[in-house]
Amino acid sequence: MLELGQIKINIQDVPADEKEHLREYASQKLKIKAEQMRKFEIYKRSLDARSKPDIFYIYSIRFLSDDEETILKKNHYNKNLRQVKKPIMYESKLTQIRGRDDERIVVVGSGPAGLFCAYALSLRGLRPVLIERGAPMEERVGEVERFWESGELNEEVNVCFGEGGAGTFSDGKLNSGVKDKDGTKRFILETFVRFGAGKDILYDAKPHIGTDVLRSVIVNMRKAMEKQGVTFLFHTKYVGVEKQGDRVSGVWVKQGALRDTIPCEHLVLAIGHSARDTFDKLKEQRIEMRPKPFAVGVRVQHRQSDIDRAQYGQVKNDKHAGQDVPGGVAENAGNNVPAAYYKLTGKTEDGRGVYSFCMCPGGYVVNASSEPGHLVVNGMSDVRRDSGYANAAIVVTVDPGADERNAVSDGSEDADVFVGVVYQRQLEKNMYQVADGKIPVQRYGEFQSLAMDHPDKDSKQDVNNNENTAVVSGKVRVTGLSSNQPSVKGQWTYADVASALPEEIRTAVCEAIDQFGKKIQGFDADDTLILGVESRTSSPVRIVRDDESLESVSLPGLYPCGEGAGYAGGILSAAMDGLRVAERIGERLMQ
């Protein structure tokens, strides 16, 4: 297989039939006929804005040929042409396992970890049962939209719980820094494409499905798995694990008011980072867990046009350049430039790490609450990323074993293992109270002034969503909002976000935004919006497992898996961990 890299094409010159354009380019560059290239594919595509306002795509392409040695000799001067090994296919691990129908496998949770674990097992001829406390996608979407409109929370069906997991209402990013040595990442991406995602996720440097597309992909995947023999049980809540001797023998579940036991010898816990009641059940049954670091902070929102200009400059054919037009360059006629993205890192004066997390170009800030009396936000965007506004979490690293332990300790026996959960809950309770259950919004100019002035925790002022009303909050007078209007899913109100955060977090957020303003012009503008709180960047608890078998160190046959168990941090890494657990179960069944 040959790979030709560093193909640089101005983004304005890329035609609709991108693949054929590159095939023609490569054949001319290598002085060969197009038909000599078999299985031609775009291998990588990244955006290069270093020469702004000229923006380029940088491609790598791969193909097979019967004349590879001849082509290499003919183009020996081309340092960007090389011969590569045929990639390892993950499918080679999916050997059939027969005659083991008597050993039932139950997977708890239908997020990416649980879904891909069950999918891989089904491809090996096994028929796992997948239980999910929430609703199937068709019902879940309607329930979430009802919550956003009314504010009435369903504790079992929401942005965190239901088919697809929390990632269903997110940006749908598929980033991972893990090298794909065994084809696992490629398998996951190809699976998404097989069930309806765009083919560009196979080669984009920053692959993105979009929440609207991801929903249909998951439904298609479920239907295919059911044909393979997988049983999906929705509205079925994990209650506990049944033991026989020193191994798993079943799982206790609750369906409405009914309780039942599902026999199994292999139980996969892919519960997600918000299943706090499940952590309680595990503790009751003496399953070893440990607190782990995580991060908390706020969402920031800018006009997408401002981020586009800061990242791309005055882009060619940008008829809206210099104007405050939602969507910016990404929506201009004849302009192929996607909504601009950023990833930022820094460090505070006291040594805390600060960084942007889950950046959503052209997206929305969503109410992602899952507990009554508590409020948490997340970011979401559709595949087109065309809301006109950009948002990202600006978060601060939290060490649950240091000052946070002292700040939240309530004297309970859970204070050690669940210190991070207690800390998260306190922040979410504060944020709920400061805005009466709505998403609190505050301009950065005011947030910064109040944060540095240590405002009274109970102070808050609201402003009507649709009026430019002047309000007084603390010492700063805020005259309505600019054209940077909240792009949210859920009810919102103007409120004092700063007062709902601990001093160390609000100070760190200000330091971070000021640092990032030196990297992206306007990032620290007064009309940047602050929306809170982003508290569930990852699980604050790790369910301890053996490094080799991936089984709980407390109970053989129990497999902690994915983000909620503390072993992943996003859609792709969670899916990869699900496949890893499926491999271990398969290995055990083949012994």
Side-chain angles (χ1 to χ4, degrees):
M1 175 174 283
L2 295 180
E3 179 182 313
L4 178 62
Q6 292 300 308
I7 301 174
K8 190 174 183 179
I9 300 177
N10 191 298
I11 199 167
Q12 303 300 333
D13 299 330
V14 177
D17 196 344
E18 185 179 28
K19 185 174 179 179
E20 284 306 310
H21 179 73
L22 287 169
R23 182 193 292 271
E24 183 65 24
Y25 175 93
S27 65
Q28 293 179 10
K29 186 75 173 177
L30 300 176
K31 300 181 179 62
I32 61 176
K33 295 179 179 180
E35 51 266 31
Q36 287 181 259
M37 296 183 287
R38 294 183 288 105
K39 294 189 177 181
F40 183 94
E41 66 174 5
I42 303 173
Y43 179 63
K44 288 182 181 178
R45 182 180 72 179
S46 60
L47 200 66
D48 183 355
R50 291 174 296 179
S51 301
K52 55 188 175 187
D54 291 319
I55 312 298
F56 298 89
Y57 273 136
I58 307 297
Y59 296 91
S60 292
I61 58 96
R62 285 185 174 184
F63 62 92
L64 294 173
S65 176
D66 295 330
D67 306 310
E68 291 186 8
E69 295 300 330
T70 302
I71 295 171
L72 284 169
K73 288 179 182 179
K74 184 187 294 187
N75 295 277
H76 63 88
Y77 57 87
N78 190 335
K79 296 180 180 180
N80 296 318
L81 178 66
R82 66 190 184 110
Q83 195 166 32
V84 295
K85 294 181 180 179
K86 189 175 181 180
I88 298 173
M89 303 299 289
Y90 179 83
E91 286 84 344
S92 63
K93 297 184 178 182
L94 300 176
T95 55
Q96 293 292 295
I97 301 174
R98 303 188 184 282
R100 305 306 296 264
D101 287 346
D102 57 320
E103 295 198 50
R104 294 293 298 274
I105 304 168
V106 174
V107 178
V108 182
S110 66
L115 200 63
F116 272 87
C117 181
Y119 181 60
L121 291 170
S122 72
L123 293 179
R124 301 190 70 174
L126 300 169
R127 295 180 291 181
V129 174
L130 192 153
I131 67 172
E132 166 60 54
R133 68 190 296 170
M137 190 67 67
E138 298 88 343
E139 178 185 342
R140 183 187 183 195
V141 171
E143 188 64 24
V144 169
E145 290 177 347
R146 187 187 68 81
F147 165 62
W148 286 338
E149 292 175 3
S150 68
E152 297 177 9
L153 177 67
N154 183 330
E155 294 181 55
E156 299 299 337
V157 184
N158 47 59
V159 171
C160 295
F161 301 143
E163 186 176 19
T168 302
F169 297 92
S170 69
D171 185 70
K173 284 182 287 292
L174 301 173
N175 299 331
S176 173
V178 180
K179 291 186 177 181
D180 195 20
K181 295 180 180 179
D182 61 356
T184 303
K185 283 201 291 189
R186 182 75 180 188
F187 172 77
I188 294 168
L189 297 176
E190 288 179 343
T191 299
F192 281 133
V193 171
R194 185 177 304 118
F195 292 114
K199 291 183 178 180
D200 56 342
I201 68 171
L202 296 176
Y203 50 79
D204 259 338
K206 294 181 173 64
H208 150 76
I209 293 182
T211 187
D212 49 343
V213 174
L214 184 58
R215 295 172 191 175
S216 60
V217 167
I218 291 171
V219 171
N220 293 339
M221 194 171 176
R222 181 229 304 164
K223 291 178 178 177
M225 291 168 66
E226 287 176 329
K227 290 181 180 179
Q228 292 283 346
V230 179
T231 299
F232 284 78
L233 299 177
F234 293 104
H235 299 293
T236 303
K237 188 174 182 178
Y238 170 94
V239 176
V241 58
E242 185 175 81
K243 310 172 189 178
Q244 184 171 357
D246 63 349
R247 283 195 63 84
V248 168
S249 62
V251 56
W252 302 327
V253 299
K254 183 178 179 182
Q255 296 173 311
L258 300 176
R259 291 177 179 266
D260 198 2
T261 300
I262 303 175
C264 65
E265 295 189 18
H266 306 276
L267 178 61
V268 180
L269 278 180
I271 56 177
H273 59 44
S274 296
R276 293 164 173 171
D277 51 355
T278 304
F279 293 146
D280 292 334
K281 298 294 184 183
L282 294 171
K283 188 173 187 298
E284 290 173 6
Q285 293 195 279
R286 300 185 182 279
I287 302 300
E288 184 175 345
M289 295 177 286
R290 296 173 187 167
K292 62 175 282 293
F294 56 103
V296 299
V298 298
R299 281 268 154 186
V300 297
Q301 182 194 291
H302 302 86
R303 288 172 290 269
Q304 184 64 52
S305 55
D306 292 341
I307 300 300
D308 290 341
R309 291 189 194 98
Q311 298 294 76
Y312 296 150
Q314 295 298 323
V315 181
K316 290 181 179 180
N317 299 330
D318 183 2
K319 66 180 180 181
H320 296 311
Q323 301 178 29
D324 289 328
V325 178
V329 298
E331 289 189 358
N332 296 331
N335 197 315
N336 296 328
V337 182
Y341 176 88
Y342 61 77
K343 184 176 182 180
L344 302 165
T345 61
K347 185 169 286 189
T348 64
E349 288 184 1
D350 63 359
R352 287 175 179 262
V354 288
Y355 57 96
S356 63
F357 173 80
C358 187
M359 194 269 159
C360 299
Y364 307 89
V365 177
V366 306
N367 189 332
S369 302
S370 61
E371 294 183 340
H374 296 72
L375 184 134
V376 58
V377 296
N378 192 17
M380 182 185 91
S381 60
D382 292 333
V383 67
R384 288 175 57 83
R385 287 176 163 171
D386 57 0
S387 75
Y389 298 94
N391 74 76
I394 302 300
V395 294
V396 186
T397 54
V398 170
D399 179 0
D403 54 339
E404 284 74 23
R405 182 187 300 275
N406 298 324
V408 304
S409 178
D410 57 4
S412 70
E413 62 179 7
D414 293 340
D416 287 338
V417 173
F418 294 151
V419 62
V421 175
V422 175
Y423 187 71
Q424 287 177 331
R425 275 183 165 143
Q426 186 60 58
L427 294 180
E428 294 165 13
K429 182 178 180 181
N430 291 349
M431 210 59 67
Y432 183 94
Q433 293 175 343
V434 82
D436 296 324
K438 300 179 179 66
I439 297 174
V441 180
Q442 189 172 29
R443 293 177 66 182
Y444 179 59
E446 181 187 21
F447 177 92
Q448 183 184 43
S449 179
L450 293 175
M452 297 307 177
D453 196 35
H454 312 311
D456 179 0
K457 186 175 180 180
D458 294 328
S459 69
K460 67 175 180 178
Q461 293 289 336
D462 297 344
V463 64
N464 187 287
N465 294 358
N466 300 313
E467 296 180 4
N468 253 2
T469 307
V471 300
V472 178
S473 182
K475 297 182 179 180
V476 179
R477 190 171 186 82
V478 181
T479 307
L481 297 172
S482 68
S483 60
N484 186 16
Q485 292 288 320
S487 176
V488 302
K489 296 289 187 180
Q491 299 178 347
W492 67 272
T493 187
Y494 202 87
D496 191 354
V497 180
S499 70
L501 295 171
E503 178 182 349
E504 68 272 10
I505 300 300
R506 62 181 182 241
T507 300
V509 166
C510 288
E511 288 187 51
I513 292 176
D514 290 349
Q515 288 179 33
F516 300 159
K518 295 179 174 63
K519 299 178 181 180
I520 296 179
Q521 184 177 2
F523 197 91
D524 56 347
D526 282 353
D527 71 345
T528 295
L529 296 185
I530 306 294
L531 305 94
V533 60
E534 176 91 16
S535 55
R536 302 190 195 174
T537 55
S538 64
S539 176
V541 173
R542 175 168 288 127
I543 306 171
V544 185
R545 71 186 187 189
D546 180 80
D547 291 340
E548 292 299 321
S549 70
L550 305 188
E551 294 173 290
S552 164
V553 295
S554 305
L555 183 62
L558 180 67
Y559 297 83
C561 179
E563 190 166 345
Y567 296 97
I571 293 174
L572 190 57
S573 61
M576 293 175 72
D577 199 53
L579 293 178
R580 195 175 301 117
V581 168
E583 287 177 38
R584 294 296 182 274
I585 294 174
E587 289 168 2
R588 184 172 185 88
L589 293 179
M590 293 181 71
Q591 290 177 352

